[in-house]
Coordinates of all heavy atoms in Angstrom, one line a residue:
M43 N 0.8 -1.2 0.0 CA 0.0 0.0 0.0 C 0.9 1.2 0.0 O 1.7 1.4 0.9 CB -0.9 0.0 1.2 CG -2.1 0.9 1.1 SD -3.2 0.8 2.6 CE -2.8 2.3 3.4
G44 N 0.7 2.1 -1.0 CA 1.5 3.3 -1.1 C 1.0 4.4 -0.2 O -0.1 4.3 0.3
K45 N 1.8 5.4 0.0 CA 1.3 6.5 0.8 C 0.2 7.2 0.0 O 0.4 7.5 -1.2 CB 2.4 7.4 1.1 CG 3.1 7.2 2.4 CD 3.9 8.4 2.8 CE 5.1 8.0 3.6 NZ 6.1 9.0 3.7
R46 N -0.8 7.6 0.6 CA -2.0 8.2 0.0 C -1.7 9.7 -0.2 O -2.2 10.3 -1.2 CB -3.2 8.0 0.8 CG -4.4 8.2 0.0 CD -5.5 7.2 0.5 NE -6.7 7.3 -0.3 CZ -7.7 6.6 -0.2 NH1 -7.8 5.7 0.8 NH2 -8.8 6.7 -1.0
F47 N -1.1 10.3 0.7 CA -0.8 11.7 0.7 C 0.6 12.0 0.9 O 1.2 11.3 1.8 CB -1.7 12.5 1.8 CG -3.1 12.2 1.7 CD1 -3.7 11.3 2.7 CD2 -3.9 12.7 0.7 CE1 -5.0 11.0 2.7 CE2 -5.3 12.4 0.7 CZ -5.8 11.6 1.7
S48 N 1.2 12.9 0.2 CA 2.6 13.2 0.4 C 2.8 14.0 1.7 O 1.8 14.7 2.1 CB 3.2 14.0 -0.8 OG 2.6 15.3 -0.8
S49 N 4.0 14.0 2.2 CA 4.2 14.8 3.5 C 4.0 16.3 3.2 O 3.6 17.0 4.1 CB 5.5 14.4 4.1 OG 6.5 14.6 3.1
K50 N 4.4 16.7 2.0 CA 4.2 18.1 1.6 C 2.7 18.5 1.6 O 2.4 19.5 2.1 CB 4.8 18.3 0.2 CG 4.8 19.8 -0.2 CD 5.5 19.9 -1.5 CE 5.4 21.3 -2.1 NZ 4.1 21.5 -2.8
E51 N 1.9 17.6 1.1 CA 0.5 17.9 1.1 C -0.1 18.0 2.5 O -0.9 18.9 2.8 CB -0.2 16.7 0.4 CG -0.7 16.9 -1.0 CD -1.3 15.6 -1.5 OE1 -0.8 14.5 -1.4 OE2 -2.4 15.7 -2.1
L52 N 0.4 17.1 3.3 CA -0.1 17.1 4.7 C 0.3 18.3 5.5 O -0.4 18.9 6.2 CB 0.3 15.8 5.4 CG -0.3 14.5 4.9 CD1 0.2 13.3 5.6 CD2 -1.9 14.5 5.0
Y53 N 1.6 18.7 5.2 CA 2.1 19.9 5.8 C 1.3 21.1 5.5 O 0.9 21.9 6.3 CB 3.6 20.1 5.4 CG 4.2 21.3 6.0 CD1 4.8 21.3 7.2 CD2 4.1 22.5 5.3 CE1 5.3 22.5 7.8 CE2 4.7 23.7 5.8 CZ 5.2 23.6 7.1 OH 5.8 24.8 7.6
E54 N 0.9 21.2 4.2 CA 0.1 22.3 3.7 C -1.3 22.3 4.4 O -1.8 23.3 4.8 CB 0.0 22.3 2.2 CG 1.2 22.8 1.5 CD 1.1 22.7 -0.1 OE1 0.0 22.3 -0.6 OE2 2.1 22.9 -0.7
L55 N -1.8 21.1 4.5 CA -3.2 21.0 5.1 C -3.1 21.4 6.6 O -4.1 21.9 7.1 CB -3.7 19.6 4.9 CG -4.1 19.3 3.5 CD1 -4.5 17.8 3.4 CD2 -5.3 20.1 3.0
R56 N -2.0 21.1 7.2 CA -1.9 21.5 8.6 C -1.6 22.9 8.8 O -1.8 23.4 9.9 CB -0.8 20.6 9.3 CG -1.2 19.2 9.5 CD -0.2 18.5 10.5 NE 1.1 18.5 10.0 CZ 1.7 17.5 9.3 NH1 1.0 16.4 9.1 NH2 2.9 17.6 8.9
N57 N -1.1 23.6 7.8 CA -0.6 25.0 8.0 C -1.3 26.1 7.2 O -1.2 27.2 7.5 CB 0.9 25.0 7.8 CG 1.6 24.3 8.9 OD1 1.8 24.8 10.0 ND2 2.0 23.0 8.6
S58 N -2.0 25.7 6.1 CA -2.6 26.7 5.2 C -3.9 27.3 5.7 O -4.2 28.4 5.4 CB -2.8 26.1 3.8 OG -1.6 25.6 3.3
I59 N -4.6 26.6 6.5 CA -5.8 27.1 7.1 C -5.6 27.5 8.5 O -5.2 26.6 9.3 CB -6.9 26.0 7.1 CG1 -7.0 25.4 5.7 CG2 -8.3 26.6 7.5 CD1 -7.7 24.0 5.7
P60 N -5.7 28.8 8.8 CA -5.5 29.2 10.2 C -6.4 28.4 11.1 O -7.6 28.3 10.9 CB -5.9 30.7 10.2 CG -5.7 31.1 8.8 CD -6.1 29.9 8.0
I61 N -5.9 27.8 12.2 CA -6.6 26.9 13.0 C -7.9 27.5 13.6 O -8.9 26.9 13.7 CB -5.7 26.2 14.1 CG1 -6.4 25.1 14.8 CG2 -5.2 27.2 15.1 CD1 -6.0 23.7 14.5
H62 N -7.8 28.8 13.9 CA -9.0 29.5 14.5 C -10.1 29.6 13.5 O -11.3 29.6 13.8 CB -8.6 30.8 15.2 CG -8.3 31.9 14.3 ND1 -7.0 32.0 13.7 CD2 -9.0 32.9 13.7 CE1 -7.0 33.0 12.9 NE2 -8.2 33.6 12.9
V63 N -9.7 29.8 12.2 CA -10.7 29.9 11.2 C -11.4 28.5 11.0 O -12.6 28.4 10.8 CB -10.1 30.4 9.9 CG1 -11.1 30.3 8.7 CG2 -9.5 31.8 10.1
L64 N -10.6 27.5 11.0 CA -11.1 26.2 10.8 C -12.1 25.9 11.9 O -13.2 25.4 11.7 CB -10.0 25.1 10.8 CG -10.5 23.7 10.7 CD1 -10.8 23.3 9.3 CD2 -9.5 22.7 11.3
I65 N -11.7 26.2 13.2 CA -12.5 25.9 14.3 C -13.8 26.6 14.3 O -14.9 26.0 14.4 CB -11.7 26.2 15.6 CG1 -10.6 25.2 15.9 CG2 -12.7 26.3 16.8 CD1 -9.6 25.6 17.0
E66 N -13.8 27.9 14.1 CA -15.0 28.7 14.2 C -15.8 28.7 13.0 O -17.0 28.5 13.0 CB -14.6 30.2 14.6 CG -15.8 31.0 15.1 CD -15.3 32.3 15.7 OE1 -14.2 32.7 15.5 OE2 -16.1 32.9 16.4
T67 N -15.2 28.9 11.8 CA -16.0 29.1 10.6 C -16.3 27.8 9.9 O -17.4 27.5 9.5 CB -15.2 30.0 9.6 OG1 -14.8 31.1 10.3 CG2 -16.0 30.4 8.4
Q68 N -15.3 26.9 9.8 CA -15.6 25.7 9.0 C -16.2 24.6 9.9 O -17.1 23.9 9.4 CB -14.3 25.1 8.5 CG -13.6 26.1 7.5 CD -14.3 26.3 6.2 OE1 -15.2 25.5 5.8 NE2 -14.1 27.4 5.6
L69 N -15.8 24.4 11.1 CA -16.3 23.4 11.9 C -17.5 23.8 12.8 O -18.2 23.0 13.4 CB -15.2 22.8 12.8 CG -14.1 22.1 12.0 CD1 -13.0 21.6 13.0 CD2 -14.6 20.9 11.2
G70 N -17.6 25.1 12.9 CA -18.7 25.7 13.7 C -18.7 25.4 15.2 O -19.7 25.3 15.9
I71 N -17.4 25.3 15.7 CA -17.3 25.0 17.1 C -17.4 26.4 17.9 O -16.9 27.4 17.4 CB -15.8 24.5 17.4 CG1 -15.7 23.1 16.7 CG2 -15.5 24.4 18.9 CD1 -14.2 22.6 16.7
P72 N -18.2 26.4 18.9 CA -18.3 27.6 19.7 C -17.0 28.2 20.1 O -16.1 27.4 20.6 CB -19.2 27.2 20.9 CG -19.9 26.0 20.5 CD -19.0 25.3 19.5
A73 N -16.8 29.5 19.9 CA -15.5 30.1 20.2 C -15.8 31.5 20.7 O -16.8 32.1 20.5 CB -14.6 30.1 19.0
K74 N -14.8 32.1 21.5 CA -14.9 33.4 22.0 C -13.5 34.0 22.2 O -12.5 33.3 22.3 CB -15.7 33.4 23.3 CG -15.1 32.6 24.4 CD -15.9 32.6 25.6 CE -15.3 31.8 26.7 NZ -16.1 31.6 27.9
I75 N -13.5 35.3 22.3 CA -12.3 36.0 22.7 C -12.4 36.3 24.1 O -13.3 37.0 24.5 CB -12.0 37.3 21.9 CG1 -12.0 37.0 20.4 CG2 -10.7 37.9 22.3 CD1 -10.8 36.3 19.8
S76 N -11.5 35.8 24.9 CA -11.6 36.0 26.4 C -10.2 36.6 26.8 O -9.2 35.9 26.6 CB -11.9 34.7 27.1 OG -11.7 34.9 28.5
E77 N -10.3 37.8 27.4 CA -9.0 38.5 27.7 C -8.0 38.5 26.6 O -6.8 38.3 26.8 CB -8.4 37.9 29.0 CG -9.3 38.1 30.2 CD -8.9 37.2 31.4 OE1 -7.9 36.5 31.3 OE2 -9.6 37.2 32.4
G78 N -8.5 38.8 25.4 CA -7.7 38.9 24.2 C -7.2 37.6 23.7 O -6.4 37.6 22.7
V79 N -7.6 36.5 24.2 CA -7.2 35.2 23.7 C -8.4 34.5 23.1 O -9.4 34.4 23.7 CB -6.6 34.4 24.9 CG1 -6.2 33.0 24.5 CG2 -5.5 35.1 25.6
F80 N -8.1 33.9 21.9 CA -9.1 33.1 21.3 C -9.3 31.8 22.0 O -8.3 31.1 22.2 CB -8.7 32.8 19.8 CG -9.6 32.0 19.0 CD1 -10.7 32.5 18.3 CD2 -9.4 30.6 19.0 CE1 -11.6 31.7 17.6 CE2 -10.3 29.7 18.3 CZ -11.4 30.3 17.6
R81 N -10.5 31.5 22.4 CA -10.8 30.2 23.1 C -11.9 29.5 22.4 O -12.9 30.2 21.9 CB -11.1 30.4 24.5 CG -10.0 31.1 25.3 CD -10.2 31.1 26.8 NE -9.3 32.0 27.5 CZ -8.0 31.7 27.8 NH1 -7.5 30.5 27.4 NH2 -7.2 32.5 28.4
F82 N -11.9 28.2 22.3 CA -12.9 27.4 21.7 C -13.4 26.3 22.7 O -12.6 26.0 23.6 CB -12.4 26.8 20.4 CG -11.3 25.9 20.6 CD1 -11.5 24.5 20.7 CD2 -10.0 26.3 20.7 CE1 -10.4 23.6 20.9 CE2 -8.9 25.4 20.9 CZ -9.1 24.1 21.0
L83 N -14.6 25.9 22.4 CA -15.1 24.8 23.2 C -14.4 23.5 22.9 O -14.5 23.0 21.7 CB -16.6 24.7 23.0 CG -17.4 23.9 24.0 CD1 -17.4 24.6 25.4 CD2 -18.8 23.7 23.5
C84 N -13.7 22.9 23.8 CA -13.0 21.7 23.5 C -14.0 20.6 23.1 O -14.9 20.3 23.9 CB -12.1 21.3 24.7 SG -11.3 19.7 24.5
P85 N -13.8 20.0 22.0 CA -14.8 19.0 21.6 C -14.7 17.7 22.4 O -15.6 16.8 22.3 CB -14.4 18.7 20.1 CG -13.0 19.2 20.0 CD -12.8 20.2 21.0
L86 N -13.6 17.6 23.2 CA -13.5 16.4 24.0 C -14.0 16.5 25.4 O -14.7 15.7 25.9 CB -12.0 16.0 24.1 CG -11.3 15.6 22.8 CD1 -9.8 15.2 23.1 CD2 -12.0 14.4 22.2
C87 N -13.8 17.7 26.0 CA -14.2 17.9 27.4 C -15.3 19.0 27.5 O -15.8 19.2 28.6 CB -13.0 18.2 28.3 SG -12.3 19.8 28.0
N88 N -15.6 19.7 26.4 CA -16.6 20.8 26.5 C -16.3 21.9 27.5 O -17.2 22.4 28.1 CB -18.0 20.2 26.8 CG -18.5 19.4 25.6 OD1 -18.5 19.9 24.4 ND2 -18.9 18.2 25.8
E89 N -15.0 22.2 27.6 CA -14.6 23.4 28.4 C -13.9 24.4 27.5 O -13.4 24.0 26.4 CB -13.7 22.9 29.5 CG -14.3 21.9 30.5 CD -15.3 22.6 31.5 OE1 -15.2 23.8 31.6 OE2 -16.0 21.9 32.1
F90 N -13.8 25.6 28.0 CA -13.1 26.7 27.2 C -11.7 26.9 27.7 O -11.1 27.9 27.5 CB -13.9 28.0 27.4 CG -15.0 28.1 26.4 CD1 -16.4 27.9 26.7 CD2 -14.8 28.4 25.0 CE1 -17.4 28.0 25.8 CE2 -15.8 28.6 24.1 CZ -17.1 28.3 24.5
Q91 N -11.1 25.9 28.3 CA -9.7 26.0 28.8 C -8.8 25.7 27.7 O -8.0 24.8 27.7 CB -9.5 25.1 30.0 CG -10.3 25.6 31.2 CD -10.2 24.6 32.4 OE1 -9.1 24.0 32.6 NE2 -11.2 24.4 33.1
T92 N -8.9 26.5 26.6 CA -8.2 26.2 25.4 C -7.5 27.5 24.8 O -7.8 28.6 25.3 CB -9.2 25.8 24.3 OG1 -10.2 26.8 24.2 CG2 -9.8 24.4 24.7
A93 N -6.7 27.3 23.9 CA -6.0 28.4 23.2 C -5.5 27.9 21.8 O -5.5 26.7 21.6 CB -4.8 28.9 24.0
V94 N -5.1 28.8 21.0 CA -4.5 28.4 19.7 C -3.1 29.1 19.6 O -2.9 30.1 20.2 CB -5.4 28.8 18.5 CG1 -6.7 28.0 18.5 CG2 -5.6 30.3 18.4
N95 N -2.2 28.4 18.9 CA -0.9 29.0 18.7 C -0.7 29.3 17.2 O -0.6 28.3 16.4 CB 0.1 28.0 19.2 CG 1.5 28.6 19.1 OD1 1.8 29.5 18.3 ND2 2.4 28.0 19.9
P96 N -0.8 30.5 16.8 CA -0.7 30.9 15.4 C 0.7 30.5 14.8 O 0.7 30.2 13.6 CB -0.8 32.4 15.4 CG -1.4 32.8 16.7 CD -0.9 31.7 17.7
K97 N 1.7 30.4 15.6 CA 3.0 30.0 15.1 C 3.1 28.6 14.7 O 3.6 28.3 13.6 CB 4.1 30.3 16.2 CG 4.5 31.7 16.3 CD 5.7 31.9 17.3 CE 5.9 33.3 17.6 NZ 6.5 33.5 18.9
T98 N 2.5 27.7 15.4 CA 2.5 26.3 15.1 C 1.2 25.9 14.4 O 1.1 24.7 13.9 CB 2.7 25.4 16.4 OG1 1.6 25.8 17.3 CG2 4.0 25.7 17.0
N99 N 0.2 26.7 14.4 CA -1.1 26.5 13.9 C -1.7 25.2 14.6 O -2.4 24.4 14.0 CB -1.1 26.3 12.4 CG -2.5 26.6 11.8 OD1 -3.2 27.6 12.3 ND2 -2.9 25.9 10.8
L100 N -1.5 25.2 15.9 CA -2.1 24.1 16.7 C -3.1 24.7 17.7 O -2.9 25.8 18.2 CB -1.0 23.3 17.5 CG 0.0 22.5 16.7 CD1 1.1 22.0 17.7 CD2 -0.7 21.3 16.0
S101 N -4.1 23.9 18.0 CA -5.0 24.3 19.1 C -4.6 23.4 20.3 O -4.2 22.3 20.2 CB -6.4 24.2 18.7 OG -6.7 22.9 18.3
R102 N -4.9 23.9 21.5 CA -4.5 23.2 22.7 C -5.7 23.2 23.7 O -6.2 24.3 23.9 CB -3.3 23.7 23.3 CG -2.9 23.0 24.6 CD -1.5 23.2 25.0 NE -1.2 22.4 26.3 CZ -0.9 21.1 26.3 NH1 -0.8 20.5 25.2 NH2 -0.6 20.5 27.5
C103 N -5.9 22.1 24.3 CA -6.8 22.1 25.5 C -6.0 21.8 26.7 O -5.3 20.8 26.8 CB -7.9 21.0 25.4 SG -8.9 21.0 26.9
F104 N -6.0 22.8 27.7 CA -5.2 22.6 28.9 C -5.7 21.6 29.8 O -5.0 21.0 30.6 CB -5.0 24.0 29.6 CG -4.4 25.0 28.7 CD1 -5.1 26.0 28.0 CD2 -3.0 25.0 28.4 CE1 -4.6 26.9 27.2 CE2 -2.4 25.9 27.6 CZ -3.2 26.9 26.9
R105 N -7.0 21.4 29.7 CA -7.7 20.4 30.6 C -7.4 19.0 30.1 O -7.0 18.1 30.9 CB -9.2 20.7 30.6 CG -9.9 20.0 31.7 CD -11.2 20.8 32.0 NE -11.9 20.2 33.1 CZ -12.9 19.3 32.9 NH1 -13.3 19.0 31.7 NH2 -13.5 18.8 33.9
C106 N -7.5 18.8 28.8 CA -7.2 17.5 28.2 C -5.7 17.3 28.1 O -5.2 16.1 27.9 CB -7.8 17.3 26.9 SG -9.6 17.3 26.9
E107 N -5.0 18.4 28.2 CA -3.5 18.4 28.0 C -3.2 17.7 26.6 O -2.3 16.9 26.5 CB -2.8 17.6 29.1 CG -3.0 18.3 30.4 CD -2.2 17.7 31.6 OE1 -1.9 16.5 31.4 OE2 -1.8 18.4 32.5
K108 N -3.9 18.3 25.6 CA -3.7 17.7 24.2 C -3.6 18.9 23.2 O -4.2 19.9 23.4 CB -4.9 16.9 23.8 CG -4.9 15.5 24.3 CD -6.0 14.7 23.6 CE -5.8 13.2 23.8 NZ -6.2 12.7 25.1
N109 N -2.7 18.7 22.2 CA -2.6 19.6 21.1 C -3.4 19.0 19.9 O -3.3 17.7 19.7 CB -1.2 19.8 20.7 CG -0.4 20.6 21.7 OD1 -0.9 21.6 22.1 ND2 0.8 20.2 22.0
F110 N -4.0 19.8 19.2 CA -4.7 19.3 18.0 C -4.3 20.1 16.8 O -4.3 21.4 16.8 CB -6.2 19.5 18.1 CG -6.8 19.0 19.4 CD1 -7.1 19.9 20.4 CD2 -7.0 17.7 19.6 CE1 -7.7 19.5 21.6 CE2 -7.6 17.2 20.8 CZ -7.9 18.1 21.8
N111 N -3.9 19.4 15.7 CA -3.7 20.2 14.4 C -5.0 20.2 13.6 O -6.0 19.7 14.1 CB -2.5 19.5 13.6 CG -2.8 18.1 13.2 OD1 -3.9 17.7 12.9 ND2 -1.7 17.3 13.2
T112 N -5.0 20.8 12.5 CA -6.2 20.9 11.7 C -6.8 19.6 11.4 O -8.0 19.4 11.5 CB -5.9 21.7 10.4 OG1 -4.9 21.0 9.7 CG2 -5.5 23.1 10.6
I113 N -6.0 18.6 11.1 CA -6.5 17.3 10.7 C -7.1 16.6 11.9 O -8.2 16.0 11.9 CB -5.4 16.4 10.1 CG1 -4.8 17.0 8.9 CG2 -5.9 15.0 9.8 CD1 -3.5 16.4 8.4
D114 N -6.5 16.7 13.1 CA -7.1 16.2 14.3 C -8.4 16.8 14.6 O -9.4 16.1 15.0 CB -6.1 16.5 15.5 CG -4.8 15.9 15.4 OD1 -4.6 14.8 14.8 OD2 -3.8 16.6 15.9
M115 N -8.5 18.1 14.4 CA -9.8 18.8 14.8 C -10.9 18.3 13.9 O -12.0 18.0 14.4 CB -9.7 20.3 14.6 CG -8.8 21.1 15.6 SD -9.3 20.8 17.3 CE -10.9 21.7 17.4
V116 N -10.7 18.1 12.6 CA -11.7 17.5 11.7 C -12.1 16.1 12.1 O -13.2 15.8 12.2 CB -11.2 17.6 10.2 CG1 -12.2 16.9 9.3 CG2 -11.0 19.0 9.8
M117 N -11.1 15.3 12.4 CA -11.3 13.9 12.8 C -12.2 13.8 14.0 O -13.2 13.1 14.1 CB -10.0 13.2 13.1 CG -9.2 12.9 11.9 SD -7.6 12.1 12.3 CE -8.1 10.5 12.8
I118 N -12.0 14.7 15.0 CA -12.7 14.7 16.3 C -14.2 15.2 16.0 O -15.1 14.6 16.4 CB -12.1 15.5 17.4 CG1 -10.7 14.9 17.7 CG2 -13.0 15.7 18.6 CD1 -9.8 15.8 18.5
C119 N -14.2 16.4 15.3 CA -15.5 17.0 15.1 C -16.5 16.3 14.2 O -17.7 16.3 14.3 CB -15.3 18.5 14.7 SG -14.6 19.4 16.0
H120 N -15.9 15.8 13.1 CA -16.7 15.1 12.1 C -16.8 13.6 12.4 O -17.5 12.9 11.6 CB -16.2 15.4 10.7 CG -16.5 16.8 10.2 ND1 -16.1 17.2 9.0 CD2 -17.2 17.8 10.8 CE1 -16.5 18.5 8.8 NE2 -17.2 18.8 9.9
N121 N -16.0 13.1 13.3 CA -15.9 11.7 13.6 C -15.6 10.9 12.3 O -16.2 9.9 12.0 CB -17.3 11.2 14.2 CG -17.1 9.9 14.9 OD1 -16.0 9.6 15.3 ND2 -18.2 9.2 15.1
T122 N -14.6 11.5 11.6 CA -14.2 10.8 10.4 C -12.7 10.3 10.6 O -12.0 10.7 11.5 CB -14.2 11.8 9.2 OG1 -13.5 13.0 9.6 CG2 -15.6 12.1 8.7
D123 N -12.4 9.4 9.7 CA -11.0 8.8 9.8 C -10.0 9.8 9.2 O -10.4 10.8 8.6 CB -10.9 7.4 9.2 CG -11.2 7.4 7.7 OD1 -11.1 8.4 7.1 OD2 -11.5 6.3 7.2
F124 N -8.7 9.4 9.2 CA -7.7 10.3 8.8 C -7.9 10.7 7.3 O -7.8 11.9 6.9 CB -6.3 9.7 9.0 CG -5.2 10.5 8.6 CD1 -4.7 11.5 9.4 CD2 -4.5 10.3 7.4 CE1 -3.6 12.3 9.0 CE2 -3.5 11.1 7.0 CZ -3.0 12.1 7.8
V125 N -8.1 9.7 6.5 CA -8.2 9.9 5.0 C -9.4 10.9 4.7 O -9.2 11.8 3.9 CB -8.4 8.6 4.3 CG1 -8.7 8.8 2.8 CG2 -7.1 7.8 4.4
D126 N -10.5 10.6 5.3 CA -11.7 11.5 5.0 C -11.5 12.9 5.5 O -12.0 13.8 5.0 CB -13.0 10.8 5.6 CG -13.5 9.7 4.7 OD1 -13.0 9.6 3.6 OD2 -14.3 8.9 5.2
S127 N -10.8 13.0 6.6 CA -10.5 14.3 7.2 C -9.6 15.1 6.3 O -9.8 16.3 6.1 CB -9.9 14.2 8.6 OG -10.8 13.4 9.4
V128 N -8.6 14.4 5.8 CA -7.7 15.1 4.9 C -8.4 15.5 3.6 O -8.2 16.7 3.1 CB -6.5 14.1 4.5 CG1 -5.7 14.7 3.3 CG2 -5.6 14.0 5.7
K129 N -9.3 14.7 3.1 CA -10.1 15.0 1.9 C -11.0 16.3 2.2 O -11.1 17.1 1.3 CB -10.9 13.9 1.5 CG -10.1 12.8 0.8 CD -11.1 11.7 0.3 CE -10.3 10.5 -0.3 NZ -11.2 9.3 -0.4
Y130 N -11.5 16.3 3.4 CA -12.4 17.5 3.7 C -11.5 18.7 3.7 O -12.0 19.8 3.2 CB -13.0 17.2 5.1 CG -13.7 18.4 5.7 CD1 -14.9 18.8 5.3 CD2 -13.0 19.2 6.6 CE1 -15.6 19.9 5.8 CE2 -13.6 20.4 7.2 CZ -14.9 20.7 6.8 OH -15.5 21.8 7.3
L131 N -10.4 18.7 4.3 CA -9.5 19.9 4.3 C -9.1 20.3 2.9 O -9.0 21.5 2.6 CB -8.3 19.7 5.2 CG -8.5 19.6 6.7 CD1 -7.3 19.1 7.4 CD2 -9.0 21.0 7.2
Q132 N -8.9 19.3 2.1 CA -8.5 19.6 0.6 C -9.7 20.4 -0.1 O -9.4 21.3 -0.8 CB -8.2 18.3 -0.1 CG -6.9 17.7 0.3 CD -6.6 16.4 -0.4 OE1 -7.6 15.6 -0.6 NE2 -5.4 16.0 -0.6
T133 N -10.9 20.0 0.3 CA -12.0 20.7 -0.4 C -12.1 22.1 0.1 O -12.5 23.0 -0.7 CB -13.4 20.0 -0.1 OG1 -13.6 20.0 1.3 CG2 -13.4 18.6 -0.6
I134 N -11.7 22.4 1.3 CA -11.7 23.8 1.9 C -10.7 24.6 1.1 O -10.9 25.8 0.8 CB -11.4 23.8 3.4 CG1 -12.5 23.1 4.2 CG2 -11.2 25.2 3.9 CD1 -12.3 23.1 5.6
L135 N -9.6 24.0 0.9 CA -8.5 24.8 0.3 C -8.6 25.0 -1.2 O -7.9 25.8 -1.8 CB -7.1 24.1 0.5 CG -6.6 24.3 1.9 CD1 -5.3 23.5 2.1 CD2 -6.3 25.8 2.1
K136 N -9.5 24.3 -1.8 CA -9.7 24.4 -3.3 C -10.4 25.7 -3.6 O -11.1 26.3 -2.9 CB -10.4 23.2 -3.9 CG -9.5 22.2 -4.2 CD -10.2 20.9 -4.7 CE -9.2 19.7 -4.7 NZ -9.8 18.4 -4.6
Ligands
LIG92 ZN1 -10.5 19.4 26.6

């Protein structure tokens, strides 16, 4: 079985869509600015103890102690597997 997506493709999908845009606009996750910090409702624990890092384009839940990239967020929110989540992100970028 060959690789389905190149590492370059996956890198682009993880970095081309700002994570806060994906969270709020594409995935429709409740989000707010609190004390100047973008926070979103963690899809795992349903708390706002979260933040995003624009430098790494990762979102983090401090309660779950987990980082999520764009592909992880889609997998969790849409309950889709890796391949389908990647395809979803590809349609956004087109
Ligand atoms: Zn959480």
Side-chain angles (χ1 to χ4, degrees):
M43 200 178 105
K45 266 197 209 162
R46 199 148 185 176
F47 307 105
S48 71
S49 53
K50 182 173 174 282
E51 259 179 310
L52 293 176
Y53 178 86
E54 279 176 10
L55 289 171
R56 285 194 300 263
N57 292 281
S58 300
I59 310 162
I61 189 107
H62 70 278
V63 172
L64 177 80
I65 287 171
E66 195 168 18
T67 309
Q68 300 294 337
L69 296 175
I71 297 170
K74 62 185 180 185
I75 304 285
S76 171
E77 292 166 9
V79 178
F80 177 88
R81 299 191 192 281
F82 62 95
L83 196 67
C84 173
L86 295 181
C87 69
N88 288 309
E89 297 283 345
F90 275 102
Q91 293 173 36
T92 54
V94 295
N95 185 338
K97 278 184 194 156
T98 56
N99 208 37
L100 291 173
S101 55
R102 177 164 181 82
C103 176
F104 299 104
R105 198 154 178 264
C106 297
E107 298 187 331
K108 280 193 165 73
N109 287 318
F110 310 103
N111 63 35
T112 54
I113 300 168
D114 299 327
M115 289 306 291
V116 174
M117 287 176 72
I118 296 166
C119 294
H120 285 178
N121 199 21
T122 47
D123 64 18
F124 182 81
V125 171
D126 283 345
S127 303
V128 166
K129 284 181 182 167
Y130 171 79
L131 288 171
Q132 286 174 331
T133 63
I134 294 178
L135 279 177
K136 270 173 194 159

